[in-house]
């Protein structure tokens, strides 16, 4: 039954009108932009040893990887007639929601890392080595995969309870922490860092704090509507659902954040931007130009 359903997959909207064609092009462009931007940032960090030595860039790698997976999967859930339900024949077995959860966890971990680094710099330098940071990243990825595995092994009703009430309560709790950390980081950046004497280290700390503040702010803007909707949905007992995920604004809004986050990384981090321009984009453009000029016409 499931195989026949997959073979009969169609586009989310039939290309029978100009508006539907524009929607299809938007979905494909969004998926392509997410992949291109996150891959660019991901490769830039891998190519620069100095960036890889800093913990904050390890969290950027984690965020870019989960968003990259979101972009690849959006060719499926954002273009085709797919519904991510527990019993849907076209479901992705919760892998697509997992990528969003991992992005959320990475941003929260990066926010806590920046607060620890600025509020207690001496303790931070002793405790949070790069190896320990990698262990933290691997730990929450492992927990995410275990959650998905358990949800696919239990019954549909139990899985709905896990992803419904369980994740809802945890999201409310962690969002409260995220907002509180953002306020504390703003206070630290605004008052504590300004008291330090001018130096390269102070400028680096300040730029990294402001960057995570902006990233978290935009992430909350795209996530809070979804969270508020599900809260109302659970307590009211009625939810209006769209035909598929591709035309559901509650799925599109967080997906757009997967393209916005790497743009914020590029605009807000000068070393990353320099590496991206000199080691990733410029060499690729030069090779394409040489290939085009030497090609027989």
């Amino acid at each position: 039954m499931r195989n026949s359903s997959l073979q009969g997959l169609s586009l989310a909207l039939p290309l029978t009108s100009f508006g539907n064609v524009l929607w299809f092009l938007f979905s494909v462009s969004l998926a392509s932009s997410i992949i291109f931007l996150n891959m660019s940032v991901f490769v830039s960090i891998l190519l620069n040893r100095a960036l890889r030595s800093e913990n904050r860039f390890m969290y950027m790698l984690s965020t870019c990887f989960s968003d990259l997976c979101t972009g690849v999967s959006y060719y499926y859930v954002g273009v085709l007639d797919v519904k991510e339900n527990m019993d849907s024949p076209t479901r992705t077995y919760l892998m697509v929601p997992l990528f969003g959860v991992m992005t959320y966890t990475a941003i929260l971990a990066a926010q806590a890392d920046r607060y620890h680094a600025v509020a207690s710099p001496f303790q931070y330098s002793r405790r949070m080595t790069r190896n320990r940071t990698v262990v933290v990243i691997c730990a929450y990825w492992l927990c995410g995969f275990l959650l998905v595995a358990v949800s696919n092994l239990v019954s549909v009703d139990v899985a709905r309870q896990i992803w419904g009430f369980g994740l809802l309560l945890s999201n409310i709790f962690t969002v409260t922490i995220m907002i509180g950390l953002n306020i504390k980081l703003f206070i630290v950046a605004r008052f504590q860092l300004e008291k330090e004497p001018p130096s390269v280290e102070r400028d680096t700390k300040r730029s990294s704090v402001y960057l995570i503040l902006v990233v978290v702010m935009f992430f909350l803007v795209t996530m809070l509507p979804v969270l508020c909707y599900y809260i109302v949905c659970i307590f009211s007992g009625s939810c209006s659902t769209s035909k598929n995920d591709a035309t559901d604004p509650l799925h599109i809004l967080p997906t757009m954040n997967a393209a916005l986050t790497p743009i914020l990384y590029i605009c807000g981090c000068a070393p990353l931007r320099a590496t991206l321009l000199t080691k990733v984009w410029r060499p690729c453009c030069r090779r394409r130009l040489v290939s085009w000029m030497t090609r027989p016409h």
Side-chain angles (χ1 to χ4, degrees):
M1 183 68 181
R2 186 174 185 273
N3 291 335
S4 60
S5 299
L6 288 176
Q7 291 175 0
L9 272 178
S10 59
L11 294 176
L13 293 174
L15 303 181
T16 55
S17 66
F18 181 69
N20 289 358
V21 172
L22 288 180
W23 190 267
F24 172 79
L25 294 176
F26 166 77
S27 300
V28 174
S29 301
L30 178 59
S32 303
S33 300
I34 293 172
I35 294 173
F36 172 74
L37 291 169
N38 283 283
M39 180 62 74
S40 298
V41 175
F42 191 85
V43 173
S44 299
I45 297 174
L46 290 181
L47 290 178
N48 192 321
R49 182 177 296 179
L51 297 184
R52 295 198 311 271
S53 64
E54 296 187 37
N55 293 342
R56 59 184 178 128
F57 289 103
M58 301 306 295
Y59 289 110
M60 284 187 190
L61 277 178
S62 178
T63 306
C64 289
F65 181 74
S66 55
D67 285 343
L68 181 62
C69 294
T70 297
V72 173
S73 62
Y74 201 70
Y75 282 120
Y76 177 68
V77 298
V79 176
L80 302 178
D81 187 12
V82 173
K83 193 69 177 177
E84 186 62 55
N85 288 332
M86 297 294 179
D87 53 354
S88 172
T90 57
R91 66 188 183 277
T92 62
Y93 292 93
L94 300 176
M95 289 304 298
V96 171
L98 172 66
F99 299 142
V101 172
M102 289 299 99
T103 299
Y104 172 52
T105 308
I107 292 177
L108 180 61
Q111 189 185 21
D113 178 83
R114 286 301 86 201
Y115 177 76
H116 188 193
V118 175
S120 306
F122 298 107
Q123 294 181 1
Y124 176 83
S125 61
R126 293 197 306 267
R127 294 176 180 175
M128 292 308 299
T129 62
R130 196 185 70 162
N131 290 338
R132 289 184 179 178
T133 301
V134 172
V135 169
V136 171
I137 295 173
C138 293
Y140 65 67
W141 272 95
L142 179 61
C143 290
F145 280 113
L146 287 176
L147 175 63
V148 169
V150 170
S151 300
N152 284 305
L153 290 175
V154 299
S155 64
V156 174
D157 292 335
V158 175
R160 282 176 178 159
Q161 291 177 0
I162 294 175
W163 284 82
F165 289 98
L167 287 183
L168 178 64
L169 292 176
S170 63
N171 282 340
I172 294 175
F173 179 70
T174 52
V175 163
T176 304
I177 294 176
M178 185 176 284
I179 295 175
L181 280 177
N182 237 32
I183 296 174
K184 285 188 174 182
L185 276 171
F186 176 78
I187 294 174
V188 169
R190 184 68 180 85
F191 299 103
Q192 181 174 326
L193 289 180
E194 294 296 335
K195 296 179 181 178
E196 297 183 6
S199 64
V200 176
E201 183 180 0
R202 189 197 71 168
D203 294 339
T204 301
K205 285 183 181 180
R206 185 169 55 184
S207 63
S208 65
V209 169
Y210 282 138
L211 176 58
I212 195 62
L213 282 172
V214 175
V215 169
V216 171
M217 182 183 67
F218 277 96
F219 183 81
L220 289 173
V221 167
T222 58
M223 180 185 173
L224 285 178
V226 183
L227 181 60
C228 293
Y229 170 80
Y230 282 119
I231 292 175
V232 174
C233 178
I234 288 176
F235 286 101
S236 65
S238 61
C239 299
S240 59
T241 58
S242 58
K243 177 186 175 183
N244 49 53
D245 291 345
T247 56
D248 189 352
L250 295 178
H251 286 83
I252 298 172
L253 194 60
T255 304
M256 294 179 65
N257 186 74
L260 180 61
T261 300
I263 295 177
L264 295 176
Y265 286 157
I266 295 170
C267 295
C269 184
L272 175 63
R273 184 169 60 250
T275 303
L276 177 67
L277 295 176
T278 58
K279 294 186 177 182
V280 180
W281 284 355
R282 187 174 297 172
C284 291
C285 293
R286 186 183 297 115
R287 284 196 295 269
R288 287 180 178 271
L289 179 61
V290 172
S291 176
W292 180 83
M293 294 180 64
T294 56
R295 183 185 307 169
H297 296 282

